[in-house]
Amino acid sequence: MPLTPLRGIFAPVTTPFAGDDIDLSAFRRNARHYATTPLAGLVVLGSNGEAPSLDDDESDALIAAAREEYPTDKWLIAGTGRESVRMTVAACRRAAALGVDAVMVRTPGFFKTRITPESLLQYYTAVADASPAPVILYNITMFTGVNLLPETAAALSRHPNVIGIKDSGGDISVISELVAQCRPGFPVLAGATTMLYASLCVGGHGATVGPGAVAPEICAGVQEAFDRGDHPEARRLQALLVPIAKLVGPKWSVAGLKVAVDAYGLTGGPPRLPLLPVPAEGVRAIHEQVAVLNRSVARSP
Amino acid sequence: MPLTPLRGIFAPVTTPFAGDDIDLSAFRRNARHYATTPLAGLVVLGSNGEAPSLDDDESDALIAAAREEYPTDKWLIAGTGRESVRMTVAACRRAAALGVDAVMVRTPGFFKTRITPESLLQYYTAVADASPAPVILYNITMFTGVNLLPETAAALSRHPNVIGIKDSGGDISVISELVAQCRPGFPVLAGATTMLYASLCVGGHGATVGPGAVAPEICAGVQEAFDRGDHPEARRLQALLVPIAKLVGPKWSVAGLKVAVDAYGLTGGPPRLPLLPVPAEGVRAIHEQVAVLNRSVARSP
Amino acid sequence: MPLTPLRGIFAPVTTPFAGDDIDLSAFRRNARHYATTPLAGLVVLGSNGEAPSLDDDESDALIAAAREEYPTDKWLIAGTGRESVRMTVAACRRAAALGVDAVMVRTPGFFKTRITPESLLQYYTAVADASPAPVILYNITMFTGVNLLPETAAALSRHPNVIGIKDSGGDISVISELVAQCRPGFPVLAGATTMLYASLCVGGHGATVGPGAVAPEICAGVQEAFDRGDHPEARRLQALLVPIAKLVGPKWSVAGLKVAVDAYGLTGGPPRLPLLPVPAEGVRAIHEQVAVLNRSVARSP
Amino acid sequence: MPLTPLRGIFAPVTTPFAGDDIDLSAFRRNARHYATTPLAGLVVLGSNGEAPSLDDDESDALIAAAREEYPTDKWLIAGTGRESVRMTVAACRRAAALGVDAVMVRTPGFFKTRITPESLLQYYTAVADASPAPVILYNITMFTGVNLLPETAAALSRHPNVIGIKDSGGDISVISELVAQCRPGFPVLAGATTMLYASLCVGGHGATVGPGAVAPEICAGVQEAFDRGDHPEARRLQALLVPIAKLVGPKWSVAGLKVAVDAYGLTGGPPRLPLLPVPAEGVRAIHEQVAVLNRSVARSP
């Protein structure tokens, strides 16, 4: 079956560890489960996959395992952003060789005071020129301290090897502007759960959000309801996602999503340092919310 | 000759490139020159060395070359900070095997919203436990978005394998607090040129600053004047450093320091993307300031 | 005629000056014009009215003039926020005596490091207890450095003398949360033009935005289209507003809105220091955009 | 006796309240006490005086009372900054008529996104032109969100009616630059207790700091020790000030200073909303620190 268009809900996959090493068999089980959900695709080695904490061998092993477990008619996307063109292109090449459908390249961020629109334009052009896999731009200012402006993204959307953008900011007008300024039909994915529904209203194409990994039916349900014009139902499902979005977003971030993945019945496990595990009361709150979501799914027709 | 105490002016060494690759022979020439200056040591693979833009093979080659060129009675320090304990320890081990005197480990920074004092304490303890080379803590909030608090640094200063700290913030009271709270005599190095003299006044032990790479005599002169109680001369030399500090700091950053290294007579060269080269008017301003500094040195007794 | 519900587009009225003094007759002409537009009401002494730059006598004169010129079946709202309960209540009392329908009270902001949710709760409760006029909460973090959280606003929405909120942040999920958490039906007005349409999608009740003062038909048209379920037309009109929103928002702010008011055919004029007049190229850009908006209005059926 | 030069330690005076009103008799007692200390002067209606929370009548009453109680050979300075030239000049005129020696004018801050170096230059020039009392510039970015750059301050230092600057930032290099760039001898006062000693090292002329109101002998002692070249003693006294500086600065701010004033034996009392009183454990910590300071003073020769 051919790959679907770049549209819908994509889940970031967390990386389970067994002691100091990655737990590949748990990772495979997780990936197999996601294949049975209404997700449009998976992102491995995203922020929620703790990509910055993994070495190249670990990264390659995870991509290879995901490719074996996940069906080829859905999107398998790998995060390959590094801090220089040389290192990013090397990661893109390895990911492409392992069979990903696209690479998601976050902005470099270390030299944040000197990363300008022009430097991002040159950077992404060089990466897209050299990457064998199609490139999805990835703007996540919260973690990088760098902002990829809609104007720059619009210019890059005309590059033949750039196929979409994920913007993780919380500003709905940025989604509007990306839709308005990028080439017509250019997929714009939101990264903030709390504005999933609003981003669809202003013309977005879907989202890559943590709750996709623990409530894929509800996330996908927001978009299905929107697509059939049922705004009240889309808003109702959207509202269900707000508490978990806070817990695995601003409140506990990656470590929280891993707890939610445990609660969902897959293997999340603890994060790597410098991330700390979620303390007991946080674990309790997350389990409660996942239970609420599970009941919502069970109840729906 | 034995290694001197960790005190004085340390210069970050920039990384020259020849096309897409590092230019090792230029790097060696630079290192040989620095050996003839009053610097107390060199830092390779620091922020000004564009460490985040270099892959592991390049990093190792630079350390090895520096070790061959630089005398063993002065400090050769390598930046080895990565985003996880696993990756940082691996870098520390490789650097130690190549003969560095110490490693400088910047705080991890990607997951900035969830990096707490406790996570930094655990992170650095794990790194210091495992690193074969002594560890210098490195706090550079401007680039990482993370702040290593004096309280945490003070606790870490009691670890037997932690031998100093570089703090690149501009807040003199942080230097005061580090001096007051860390174990007695723990070396505290400033990273902001503009407060070199003031940091000595409040008990600091020196500095690792970009202008050390293009005005080592003046930087060292500030500390020599201070040490002999000649405050007016220390202030006079400090004032000479302010214009270049701005040009290679907030104004043009790493790319600016590389231009200054060219102007100084060594090989700086262009930076790697995402850093852009300094435009012509910036180059002119930097060359003028380096000329001013050269004349100051020539004139002094 | 009775007052309409608190819903729709409200325009902030700018304050014209004649030399060092306010120009009351120009202000009256402006107010008379706005009475003929589809605006639901006016806000005098808002941020765009340069309220912080006006003394109490000037403030009172403007309110009195607006009350005389503007019909009583539309909302006349006056900004009365000061930095303490004593001063704010005094301003509320004077505005009420002059006949306003409501007061809009921005968060205090000077002591931003010590203004907590609890202090805002106590502050607004004290103001609402004492104000003879109904209170609209006003959160404008960009100018105050203080953020009124949805939780706090929700608690205040149960106060019998608090009748609505204007939130000028750009985060659509804040509008969603205000709608979800405040008492049912509590009017939530957006303050960011660029998310006018999106705020309606998530349940908002309208907006108080600068472009309302120079493109009232288009702003009101967004809401009318939304109300009749014509999302494509709402999005089309929303898109028309983006360029002017940037010019009178982030780009030139209050001084820019005053230029736009001139271009619209009313009296804007220069701002008071510390605001500077818009330079010539900015004036040109603003005039062009207002002309575009005028043609759009002229063309519509 | 003639007024001393603008040099030394100046204390901000807090404003005691009796219920909803200012407590003038307590304020007078406080002022009389300060006259017996080594302070070089008092600042009434500063940030620590809760100036933004006081109306004009209250402000005038406080100035008049201070003038009656405080000797004319020491500096009586009143904060008169408002948000526009018109309002600030009016406040300067009233303060001058009541006999202050100088006015301290903080930068306007409401329209922070549009307050530029040029607008501050025009603003302060207009104020200094019109103020009958000499003007001290006041930069307090923490509260205003606006930064008066050294370059702008340097230009203003040439205005005949501008006689000094207080900079409350924590960056020692700003103090250095102010000293270097302003007209020779222009008084530069620090506003951050933690860098009092360092600011003297780099050429500053003193400080206006909260702890001056509860530990005037120790604050003045730092400067006296520095003046006679006794750096170790200056550093020792400086170190004594750090804990109280944190408590009445970042930790509890104005409300904390008022508790410290109570502990010192004068009348502090609770702040006005939106400031909340310090909770019990904070009160305890502040009383303990003031006791430590009192013992230090009692012990010294």
Side-chain angles (χ1 to χ4, degrees):
Chain A
M1 280 203 292
L3 195 59
T4 56
L6 191 61
R7 191 170 194 292
I9 305 299
F10 300 79
V13 192
T14 55
T15 301
F17 297 108
D20 285 345
D21 299 309
I22 56 173
D23 181 346
L24 268 184
S25 63
F27 179 82
R28 285 177 182 273
R29 276 196 308 275
N30 292 357
R32 277 198 298 273
H33 169 77
Y34 289 130
T36 69
T37 68
L39 292 171
L42 294 187
V43 178
V44 294
L45 303 175
S47 306
N48 273 309
E50 290 172 83
S53 298
L54 302 171
D55 65 31
D56 287 349
D57 291 343
E58 294 175 319
S59 301
D60 292 352
L62 291 165
I63 297 174
R67 183 67 295 174
E68 288 177 22
E69 304 297 346
Y70 202 66
T72 54
D73 60 333
K74 299 189 180 184
W75 286 83
L76 179 64
I77 301 166
T80 56
R82 302 289 191 277
E83 290 292 325
S84 63
V85 173
R86 182 191 191 93
M87 296 168 81
T88 299
V89 167
C92 292
R93 287 185 177 142
R94 293 203 318 276
L98 293 167
V100 300
D101 300 305
V103 289
M104 186 175 278
V105 180
R106 70 164 182 267
T107 60
F110 187 77
F111 295 111
K112 43 188 66 57
T113 57
R114 296 301 306 152
I115 296 182
T116 63
E118 176 60 24
S119 67
L120 290 175
L121 187 65
Q122 292 191 21
Y123 175 88
Y124 274 116
T125 300
V127 169
D129 284 349
S131 170
V135 170
I136 299 170
L137 311 172
Y138 180 18
N139 190 34
I140 181 161
T141 306
M142 170 181 62
F143 284 147
T144 62
V146 163
N147 191 20
L148 179 67
L149 294 175
E151 291 73 16
T152 312
L156 290 165
S157 75
R158 271 79 189 181
H159 190 290
N161 202 28
V162 174
I163 62 164
I165 183 169
K166 174 185 176 188
D167 189 288
S168 287
D171 187 340
I172 191 70
S173 66
V174 169
I175 302 289
S176 305
E177 291 206 44
L178 287 170
V179 170
Q181 295 184 33
C182 291
R183 69 167 163 76
F186 186 72
V188 175
L189 302 174
T193 310
T194 49
M195 61 178 213
L196 166 53
Y197 163 68
S199 72
L200 299 172
C201 289
V202 301
H205 298 74
T208 303
V209 287
V214 296
E217 288 82 4
I218 299 175
C219 291
V222 172
Q223 192 155 0
E224 290 158 13
F226 175 85
D227 283 350
R228 64 177 186 264
D230 187 349
H231 285 254
E233 173 69 359
R235 274 198 289 268
R236 186 187 73 83
L237 293 170
Q238 168 73 55
L240 287 176
L241 294 169
V242 171
I244 192 71
K246 289 184 184 170
L247 288 168
V248 305
K251 185 76 178 166
W252 298 112
S253 194
V254 178
L257 184 59
K258 298 184 93 166
V259 170
V261 168
D262 283 328
Y264 178 60
L266 301 180
T267 302
R272 264 191 185 162
L273 275 173
L275 292 177
L276 294 176
V278 178
E281 84 274 16
V283 170
R284 211 154 33 231
I286 294 167
H287 275 261
E288 279 170 23
Q289 273 306 316
V290 173
V292 168
L293 295 170
N294 284 342
R295 284 195 297 274
S296 301
V297 173
R299 248 201 320 263
S300 48
Chain B
M1 278 205 293
L3 194 60
T4 57
L6 190 61
R7 192 169 193 292
I9 304 299
F10 301 79
V13 192
T14 56
T15 302
F17 298 108
D20 285 346
D21 299 310
I22 56 172
D23 181 346
L24 268 185
S25 63
F27 180 82
R28 284 176 182 275
R29 276 196 308 275
N30 291 357
R32 277 197 299 272
H33 169 78
Y34 289 130
T36 69
T37 68
L39 292 171
L42 294 187
V43 178
V44 295
L45 303 175
S47 306
N48 274 311
E50 290 172 83
S53 298
L54 303 170
D55 65 32
D56 287 348
D57 291 342
E58 293 175 320
S59 301
D60 292 352
L62 290 165
I63 295 175
R67 182 68 292 174
E68 289 177 19
E69 304 296 345
Y70 201 64
T72 54
D73 60 331
K74 299 187 179 186
W75 287 83
L76 180 64
I77 301 166
T80 56
R82 301 289 191 279
E83 291 292 324
S84 63
V85 173
R86 182 190 191 94
M87 296 167 82
T88 299
V89 167
C92 292
R93 287 184 177 142
R94 293 203 317 277
L98 293 166
V100 300
D101 300 306
V103 289
M104 186 175 277
V105 179
R106 70 165 181 267
T107 60
F110 187 78
F111 295 111
K112 43 187 67 57
T113 56
R114 293 303 305 153
I115 296 181
T116 62
E118 176 61 24
S119 67
L120 290 174
L121 187 65
Q122 292 191 21
Y123 177 87
Y124 273 116
T125 300
V127 169
D129 284 349
S131 171
V135 170
I136 299 170
L137 310 172
Y138 180 18
N139 190 34
I140 180 160
T141 305
M142 169 182 64
F143 283 148
T144 62
V146 164
N147 190 21
L148 179 66
L149 294 176
E151 290 74 16
T152 311
L156 291 166
S157 75
R158 270 80 189 180
H159 189 291
N161 202 29
V162 173
I163 62 164
I165 183 169
K166 173 185 177 189
D167 190 288
S168 287
D171 187 340
I172 191 69
S173 67
V174 168
I175 302 290
S176 304
E177 292 208 42
L178 287 170
V179 170
Q181 295 185 33
C182 291
R183 69 166 164 76
F186 186 72
V188 175
L189 303 174
T193 310
T194 48
M195 61 177 214
L196 166 54
Y197 163 69
S199 73
L200 299 172
C201 290
V202 301
H205 298 74
T208 303
V209 287
V214 297
E217 288 83 6
I218 298 176
C219 291
V222 172
Q223 192 155 359
E224 289 158 13
F226 174 85
D227 283 349
R228 64 177 187 263
D230 188 350
H231 286 254
E233 174 68 359
R235 274 197 291 266
R236 187 187 72 83
L237 293 170
Q238 168 73 52
L240 287 175
L241 294 169
V242 172
I244 191 73
K246 288 182 184 170
L247 289 167
V248 305
K251 185 75 179 169
W252 298 113
S253 193
V254 177
L257 183 60
K258 298 183 92 166
V259 170
V261 168
D262 284 328
Y264 178 59
L266 301 180
T267 303
R272 265 193 183 161
L273 274 173
L275 292 177
L276 294 175
V278 178
E281 84 275 16
V283 171
R284 209 156 32 233
I286 294 168
H287 274 260
E288 279 171 22
Q289 273 306 315
V290 173
V292 168
L293 294 170
N294 285 342
R295 283 196 298 273
S296 300
V297 173
R299 249 202 316 265
S300 48
Chain C
M1 278 204 294
L3 195 59
T4 57
L6 190 61
R7 193 170 191 292
I9 305 299
F10 301 79
V13 192
T14 55
T15 302
F17 297 109
D20 285 345
D21 299 310
I22 56 173
D23 181 345
L24 268 184
S25 64
F27 179 83
R28 284 176 182 274
R29 276 195 307 276
N30 292 356
R32 277 197 298 272
H33 170 77
Y34 289 131
T36 69
T37 68
L39 291 172
L42 294 187
V43 179
V44 295
L45 302 175
S47 306
N48 274 309
E50 291 172 84
S53 299
L54 302 171
D55 65 32
D56 286 350
D57 291 343
E58 293 175 319
S59 301
D60 292 352
L62 290 165
I63 296 175
R67 183 66 292 172
E68 288 177 21
E69 304 297 344
Y70 201 65
T72 54
D73 60 333
K74 298 187 180 186
W75 287 83
L76 180 63
I77 302 166
T80 56
R82 300 292 190 276
E83 291 292 325
S84 63
V85 172
R86 183 190 190 94
M87 296 167 82
T88 299
V89 167
C92 292
R93 286 184 177 141
R94 293 203 317 275
L98 293 166
V100 300
D101 299 305
V103 289
M104 186 175 279
V105 180
R106 71 165 179 266
T107 61
F110 187 77
F111 296 111
K112 41 188 67 59
T113 57
R114 296 301 307 154
I115 296 181
T116 62
E118 176 61 25
S119 67
L120 289 175
L121 187 66
Q122 292 190 22
Y123 176 88
Y124 274 115
T125 300
V127 169
D129 284 350
S131 171
V135 171
I136 298 170
L137 311 173
Y138 180 18
N139 190 34
I140 180 162
T141 306
M142 170 182 64
F143 283 148
T144 61
V146 163
N147 190 20
L148 179 67
L149 294 175
E151 290 74 15
T152 312
L156 291 165
S157 76
R158 270 81 189 180
H159 190 289
N161 202 29
V162 174
I163 62 163
I165 183 169
K166 174 185 176 190
D167 189 287
S168 287
D171 187 341
I172 192 69
S173 66
V174 168
I175 302 289
S176 304
E177 292 207 43
L178 287 170
V179 170
Q181 295 184 32
C182 291
R183 70 167 163 75
F186 186 72
V188 175
L189 303 174
T193 311
T194 48
M195 61 177 213
L196 166 53
Y197 164 68
S199 73
L200 299 172
C201 290
V202 301
H205 299 74
T208 303
V209 288
V214 296
E217 289 82 5
I218 298 175
C219 291
V222 171
Q223 192 155 359
E224 290 157 14
F226 174 85
D227 283 349
R228 63 179 188 262
D230 188 350
H231 286 253
E233 174 68 0
R235 275 198 290 267
R236 186 186 73 82
L237 293 170
Q238 168 74 56
L240 286 175
L241 293 169
V242 172
I244 192 72
K246 289 182 184 171
L247 288 167
V248 306
K251 185 77 179 165
W252 298 112
S253 193
V254 177
L257 184 60
K258 298 184 92 166
V259 171
V261 168
D262 284 328
Y264 178 61
L266 301 179
T267 303
R272 265 193 183 161
L273 273 173
L275 292 178
L276 295 176
V278 177
E281 84 273 18
V283 170
R284 209 154 35 230
I286 294 168
H287 274 261
E288 278 170 23
Q289 272 306 316
V290 173
V292 167
L293 295 169
N294 285 343
R295 284 196 297 273
S296 300
V297 174
R299 249 202 318 265
S300 47
Chain D
M1 280 204 293
L3 195 59
T4 56
L6 191 60
R7 193 171 192 290
I9 305 299
F10 300 79
V13 192
T14 56
T15 301
F17 297 108
D20 285 345
D21 298 310
I22 55 173
D23 181 346
L24 267 184
S25 64
F27 180 82
R28 284 177 183 273
R29 275 196 308 276
N30 291 357
R32 277 198 297 273
H33 169 76
Y34 289 129
T36 69
T37 68
L39 292 171
L42 294 187
V43 178
V44 294
L45 302 175
S47 306
N48 274 310
E50 291 172 82
S53 299
L54 303 171
D55 66 31
D56 287 348
D57 291 342
E58 294 175 320
S59 302
D60 292 352
L62 290 165
I63 296 174
R67 182 67 295 172
E68 289 178 22
E69 304 297 345
Y70 202 64
T72 54
D73 60 334
K74 300 188 180 186
W75 288 83
L76 180 63
I77 302 166
T80 56
R82 301 290 192 276
E83 291 292 324
S84 64
V85 172
R86 182 190 190 93
M87 295 167 81
T88 299
V89 167
C92 292
R93 286 183 177 142
R94 294 202 317 276
L98 293 166
V100 300
D101 300 305
V103 290
M104 186 175 279
V105 180
R106 70 163 182 268
T107 61
F110 187 77
F111 295 111
K112 41 188 68 58
T113 57
R114 295 302 305 152
I115 296 182
T116 62
E118 175 62 24
S119 68
L120 289 175
L121 187 66
Q122 292 190 21
Y123 177 87
Y124 274 115
T125 301
V127 169
D129 283 349
S131 171
V135 171
I136 299 171
L137 310 173
Y138 181 17
N139 190 34
I140 180 162
T141 306
M142 170 181 65
F143 283 148
T144 61
V146 163
N147 190 20
L148 179 66
L149 294 175
E151 291 73 17
T152 312
L156 291 166
S157 75
R158 271 80 190 178
H159 189 290
N161 202 29
V162 174
I163 62 164
I165 183 170
K166 173 185 176 189
D167 189 288
S168 287
D171 187 340
I172 191 70
S173 66
V174 168
I175 302 289
S176 304
E177 292 207 44
L178 286 169
V179 170
Q181 296 184 32
C182 291
R183 69 165 164 75
F186 186 72
V188 175
L189 303 174
T193 311
T194 49
M195 61 178 214
L196 166 53
Y197 163 68
S199 73
L200 298 171
C201 289
V202 302
H205 298 74
T208 303
V209 288
V214 296
E217 289 82 5
I218 299 175
C219 291
V222 171
Q223 192 154 0
E224 290 157 13
F226 174 84
D227 283 349
R228 64 177 186 264
D230 187 349
H231 285 254
E233 174 69 359
R235 275 197 289 267
R236 186 187 73 83
L237 293 171
Q238 168 73 55
L240 287 175
L241 294 169
V242 172
I244 193 72
K246 289 183 184 172
L247 288 167
V248 306
K251 184 76 179 169
W252 298 112
S253 194
V254 177
L257 184 59
K258 298 184 92 166
V259 171
V261 168
D262 283 327
Y264 178 60
L266 300 180
T267 302
R272 265 193 183 162
L273 275 174
L275 292 177
L276 294 176
V278 177
E281 83 275 16
V283 170
R284 212 156 31 232
I286 294 168
H287 275 261
E288 277 171 23
Q289 272 306 317
V290 173
V292 168
L293 295 170
N294 285 342
R295 283 196 298 273
S296 300
V297 173
R299 249 202 316 265
S300 48

